[in-house]
Amino acid sequence: MSLDLTEMKNGSHTLPPFSSSLAALGGSLTLTSSPPSLPLSPVSFPPSPTSLSPAAAESARSSSPVSDLAASQCLGQGDTSDQDDLTCLSWLHQRGDLLPLQPLTKVTTLPQRQPGQLPPPVAASSKPPYSFSSLIFMAIEDSPQKRLPVKDIYGWIVSNFPYYRTATGGWRNSVRHNLSLSKSFRRIQRDKSQSVGKGSLWCVCPEYRPALLEGLRKTHSYHGTSSCLINKPALLDGTSYEVPAVCDTVEISDSLSHALLLSSSSPQMHTPFSEDLPCPLTPDHEELVTMEPHEYQLHEVSEDTEKDPLSDSGYIELHYYESDQCQYLVLPSESELDLETVEILQLDVEAQEAAGSLLDLAGGVY
DNA sequence: CGCCAAGTAAACAGAG
DNA sequence: CCTCTGTTTACTTGGC
């Protein structure tokens, strides 16, 4: 069975398939074979390689979708000397293509676009939902030494949140203001012997780290749940979208018959399997759509999309597809997941990722 | 309506 | 002297 993804701007565009398995047993969710590097965010388009920090860009170039390093670091395997902290955020490096977690662009009225006009840049230029405290926290946690000068905090934010690339300089004032005012951050004198540049280093106060993590998680959850999956007003107006003629093909396994359209950056974009949908799809919204197997040409399943072996043992297999246009989360047909469950699955994964995948171990944070 | 957190702007001083 | 850094104050906004 194949899945045609539409409106790829060029035929060589590839949609890297990712697979994530979630253990949905006993009411709790635990990441299993999938490292936190898996881009399961419903709200982010990966920044372009040029927008990544050098470390993140290198990571994006070199790391496979399943990074053993990231998995071992954040899932408590292998060397844990530097990763045994409950708030391991080192995956930020490994998953440089995931952060920043941009907010969903919530569009209730669709912008008009002239034929041939490129879709406007969305998400990337929208303001991140994170507070400055969260941004600073992420920046510091993403540093090897867990301490950064303010200049590098600026740099991290700019590298990971394109919004701030073009924003006026006031946000830097806000960052400094936040560093000074917030009890969550502590100033450390640089080692004079090897001091380069001015200013101090800033680190996270350990006692405030749980609060920062919680703030991060709340922000993430809020912006996930706020995007209703169904019954959006925009869906009720009968709007439908043409099927673009230019398609790329994504091959998926026969067991997958549902796809969650996580987001779309193009106003004209819609899922390629929308023709027989009970309701029209709306770009920039999350939708659960049903794929009709008979609608699609059969293709040999590629190696990349092989079914996760764990899926035969009670795990829920999720496949993730993304392009610069849209993101899909493809669900197994036998999973009997409803929209709410899907959303919970996503949020749970995201929350765990945002908290270093280890909140479960922190003692009933959930 | 008040409180609080967060964001923004601005002024100022000190260091490099 | 300039820029950057750090602190402080004041004001606005939005959520609860």
mmCIF file of all heavy atoms in Angstrom, chain A residues 4 23 29 82 84 97 110 120 134 160 185 210 215 218 232 239 271 279 319 334 336 339:
data_model
loop_
_atom_site.group_PDB
_atom_site.id
_atom_site.type_symbol
_atom_site.label_atom_id
_atom_site.label_comp_id
_atom_site.label_asym_id
_atom_site.label_seq_id
_atom_site.Cartn_x
_atom_site.Cartn_y
_atom_site.Cartn_z
ATOM 1 N N ASP A 4 0.406 8.543 -1.106
ATOM 2 C CA ASP A 4 0.933 9.651 -1.883
ATOM 3 C C ASP A 4 0.860 10.930 -1.088
ATOM 4 O O ASP A 4 -0.199 11.359 -0.683
ATOM 5 C CB ASP A 4 0.133 9.822 -3.174
ATOM 6 C CG ASP A 4 0.390 8.686 -4.120
ATOM 7 O OD1 ASP A 4 1.461 8.086 -4.051
ATOM 8 O OD2 ASP A 4 -0.506 8.394 -4.898
ATOM 9 N N ALA A 23 5.090 1.417 24.433
ATOM 10 C CA ALA A 23 4.507 0.372 25.249
ATOM 11 C C ALA A 23 3.279 0.943 25.921
ATOM 12 O O ALA A 23 3.369 1.834 26.728
ATOM 13 C CB ALA A 23 5.512 -0.099 26.291
ATOM 14 N N LEU A 29 2.874 4.521 29.811
ATOM 15 C CA LEU A 29 3.610 4.596 28.560
ATOM 16 C C LEU A 29 5.078 4.726 28.845
ATOM 17 O O LEU A 29 5.506 5.528 29.647
ATOM 18 C CB LEU A 29 3.136 5.814 27.764
ATOM 19 C CG LEU A 29 2.001 5.558 26.801
ATOM 20 C CD1 LEU A 29 1.483 6.875 26.296
ATOM 21 C CD2 LEU A 29 2.459 4.693 25.660
ATOM 22 N N ASP A 82 27.121 10.831 33.051
ATOM 23 C CA ASP A 82 26.720 12.220 32.857
ATOM 24 C C ASP A 82 25.242 12.330 32.581
ATOM 25 O O ASP A 82 24.711 13.397 32.355
ATOM 26 C CB ASP A 82 27.523 12.820 31.693
ATOM 27 C CG ASP A 82 27.356 14.320 31.625
ATOM 28 O OD1 ASP A 82 27.300 14.949 32.707
ATOM 29 O OD2 ASP A 82 27.255 14.840 30.524
ATOM 30 N N ASP A 84 22.756 10.478 34.402
ATOM 31 C CA ASP A 84 21.888 9.859 35.387
ATOM 32 C C ASP A 84 20.998 10.877 36.069
ATOM 33 O O ASP A 84 20.238 10.560 36.962
ATOM 34 C CB ASP A 84 22.727 9.096 36.425
ATOM 35 C CG ASP A 84 23.744 10.016 37.065
ATOM 36 O OD1 ASP A 84 23.818 11.192 36.670
ATOM 37 O OD2 ASP A 84 24.449 9.542 37.959
ATOM 38 N N ASP A 97 16.928 18.232 15.234
ATOM 39 C CA ASP A 97 15.899 18.550 14.259
ATOM 40 C C ASP A 97 14.530 18.609 14.892
ATOM 41 O O ASP A 97 13.556 18.883 14.231
ATOM 42 C CB ASP A 97 15.889 17.514 13.127
ATOM 43 C CG ASP A 97 15.592 16.133 13.644
ATOM 44 O OD1 ASP A 97 15.773 15.923 14.861
ATOM 45 O OD2 ASP A 97 15.189 15.296 12.846
ATOM 46 N N LEU A 110 -8.347 30.621 6.423
ATOM 47 C CA LEU A 110 -7.231 30.251 5.587
ATOM 48 C C LEU A 110 -6.760 31.422 4.754
ATOM 49 O O LEU A 110 -7.550 32.080 4.091
ATOM 50 C CB LEU A 110 -7.649 29.104 4.666
ATOM 51 C CG LEU A 110 -8.012 27.834 5.416
ATOM 52 C CD1 LEU A 110 -8.582 26.826 4.443
ATOM 53 C CD2 LEU A 110 -6.820 27.274 6.138
ATOM 54 N N PRO A 120 3.685 30.379 2.608
ATOM 55 C CA PRO A 120 4.389 31.281 3.507
ATOM 56 C C PRO A 120 5.082 30.500 4.601
ATOM 57 O O PRO A 120 4.616 29.441 5.012
ATOM 58 C CB PRO A 120 3.264 32.150 4.077
ATOM 59 C CG PRO A 120 2.061 31.273 4.009
ATOM 60 C CD PRO A 120 2.246 30.424 2.782
ATOM 61 N N SER A 134 12.051 29.107 30.446
ATOM 62 C CA SER A 134 12.169 27.800 29.809
ATOM 63 C C SER A 134 13.243 27.809 28.731
ATOM 64 O O SER A 134 14.004 26.853 28.591
ATOM 65 C CB SER A 134 10.818 27.384 29.204
ATOM 66 O OG SER A 134 9.859 27.159 30.219
ATOM 67 N N ASN A 160 17.947 27.883 17.707
ATOM 68 C CA ASN A 160 16.861 26.916 17.802
ATOM 69 C C ASN A 160 15.485 27.522 17.581
ATOM 70 O O ASN A 160 14.533 26.780 17.333
ATOM 71 C CB ASN A 160 16.907 26.228 19.172
ATOM 72 C CG ASN A 160 18.097 25.307 19.292
ATOM 73 O OD1 ASN A 160 18.062 24.166 18.848
ATOM 74 N ND2 ASN A 160 19.178 25.807 19.861
ATOM 75 N N PHE A 185 18.046 30.685 38.313
ATOM 76 C CA PHE A 185 19.354 30.726 37.671
ATOM 77 C C PHE A 185 20.381 31.392 38.585
ATOM 78 O O PHE A 185 20.068 32.334 39.315
ATOM 79 C CB PHE A 185 19.262 31.460 36.330
ATOM 80 C CG PHE A 185 18.190 30.917 35.431
ATOM 81 C CD1 PHE A 185 17.039 31.657 35.177
ATOM 82 C CD2 PHE A 185 18.307 29.651 34.877
ATOM 83 C CE1 PHE A 185 16.041 31.152 34.371
ATOM 84 C CE2 PHE A 185 17.307 29.132 34.064
ATOM 85 C CZ PHE A 185 16.166 29.889 33.809
ATOM 86 N N PRO A 210 13.203 21.097 39.060
ATOM 87 C CA PRO A 210 11.886 20.447 38.875
ATOM 88 C C PRO A 210 10.805 21.429 38.449
ATOM 89 O O PRO A 210 9.965 21.105 37.608
ATOM 90 C CB PRO A 210 11.599 19.859 40.262
ATOM 91 C CG PRO A 210 12.933 19.663 40.874
ATOM 92 C CD PRO A 210 13.771 20.812 40.382
ATOM 93 N N GLY A 215 7.330 23.533 34.272
ATOM 94 C CA GLY A 215 6.897 24.625 33.411
ATOM 95 C C GLY A 215 7.035 24.287 31.949
ATOM 96 O O GLY A 215 6.171 24.593 31.131
ATOM 97 N N LYS A 218 4.306 21.787 31.112
ATOM 98 C CA LYS A 218 2.989 22.408 31.026
ATOM 99 C C LYS A 218 2.830 23.181 29.726
ATOM 100 O O LYS A 218 1.795 23.130 29.084
ATOM 101 C CB LYS A 218 2.772 23.344 32.231
ATOM 102 C CG LYS A 218 2.376 22.627 33.498
ATOM 103 C CD LYS A 218 2.164 23.624 34.627
ATOM 104 C CE LYS A 218 1.725 22.916 35.906
ATOM 105 N NZ LYS A 218 1.615 23.865 37.038
ATOM 106 N N LYS A 232 -13.268 21.055 14.850
ATOM 107 C CA LYS A 232 -12.881 22.449 14.794
ATOM 108 C C LYS A 232 -13.892 23.218 13.963
ATOM 109 O O LYS A 232 -14.413 22.714 12.994
ATOM 110 C CB LYS A 232 -11.495 22.590 14.151
ATOM 111 C CG LYS A 232 -10.395 22.042 14.992
ATOM 112 C CD LYS A 232 -9.080 22.249 14.293
ATOM 113 C CE LYS A 232 -7.966 21.621 15.079
ATOM 114 N NZ LYS A 232 -7.843 22.149 16.398
ATOM 115 N N THR A 239 -15.423 23.458 3.900
ATOM 116 C CA THR A 239 -14.279 23.754 3.052
ATOM 117 C C THR A 239 -13.607 22.462 2.615
ATOM 118 O O THR A 239 -13.429 21.534 3.389
ATOM 119 C CB THR A 239 -13.261 24.600 3.825
ATOM 120 O OG1 THR A 239 -13.923 25.735 4.345
ATOM 121 C CG2 THR A 239 -12.142 25.035 2.923
ATOM 122 N N THR A 271 -4.074 16.272 3.186
ATOM 123 C CA THR A 271 -3.638 14.903 3.135
ATOM 124 C C THR A 271 -4.006 14.268 1.807
ATOM 125 O O THR A 271 -5.060 14.543 1.253
ATOM 126 C CB THR A 271 -4.254 14.090 4.272
ATOM 127 O OG1 THR A 271 -3.935 12.725 4.036
ATOM 128 C CG2 THR A 271 -5.732 14.263 4.317
ATOM 129 N N CYS A 279 -14.828 14.224 6.624
ATOM 130 C CA CYS A 279 -14.812 15.663 6.737
ATOM 131 C C CYS A 279 -13.578 16.194 6.036
ATOM 132 O O CYS A 279 -12.578 15.516 5.949
ATOM 133 C CB CYS A 279 -14.800 16.103 8.204
ATOM 134 S SG CYS A 279 -13.381 15.502 9.101
ATOM 135 N N HIS A 319 4.196 5.205 13.104
ATOM 136 C CA HIS A 319 5.147 5.631 12.082
ATOM 137 C C HIS A 319 4.988 7.123 11.875
ATOM 138 O O HIS A 319 3.889 7.634 11.828
ATOM 139 C CB HIS A 319 4.916 4.893 10.768
ATOM 140 C CG HIS A 319 5.357 3.476 10.819
ATOM 141 N ND1 HIS A 319 6.598 3.069 10.399
ATOM 142 C CD2 HIS A 319 4.724 2.379 11.283
ATOM 143 C CE1 HIS A 319 6.710 1.766 10.576
ATOM 144 N NE2 HIS A 319 5.588 1.323 11.106
ATOM 145 N N GLU A 334 -5.233 -1.800 13.521
ATOM 146 C CA GLU A 334 -5.783 -2.646 14.578
ATOM 147 C C GLU A 334 -5.620 -2.040 15.953
ATOM 148 O O GLU A 334 -5.978 -2.634 16.959
ATOM 149 C CB GLU A 334 -5.101 -4.031 14.544
ATOM 150 C CG GLU A 334 -3.638 -4.012 14.887
ATOM 151 C CD GLU A 334 -2.782 -3.761 13.660
ATOM 152 O OE1 GLU A 334 -3.312 -3.184 12.691
ATOM 153 O OE2 GLU A 334 -1.602 -4.123 13.672
ATOM 154 N N GLU A 336 -7.095 0.470 17.186
ATOM 155 C CA GLU A 336 -8.358 0.960 17.708
ATOM 156 C C GLU A 336 -8.166 2.200 18.555
ATOM 157 O O GLU A 336 -8.789 2.372 19.601
ATOM 158 C CB GLU A 336 -9.068 -0.137 18.511
ATOM 159 C CG GLU A 336 -9.440 -1.337 17.656
ATOM 160 C CD GLU A 336 -10.165 -2.396 18.461
ATOM 161 O OE1 GLU A 336 -10.317 -2.196 19.680
ATOM 162 O OE2 GLU A 336 -10.579 -3.397 17.872
ATOM 163 N N LEU A 339 -9.206 9.416 18.698
ATOM 164 C CA LEU A 339 -8.449 10.669 18.646
ATOM 165 C C LEU A 339 -7.878 11.039 19.994
ATOM 166 O O LEU A 339 -6.748 11.501 20.115
ATOM 167 C CB LEU A 339 -9.367 11.784 18.139
ATOM 168 C CG LEU A 339 -9.707 11.723 16.662
ATOM 169 C CD1 LEU A 339 -10.829 12.692 16.357
ATOM 170 C CD2 LEU A 339 -8.485 12.034 15.825
#
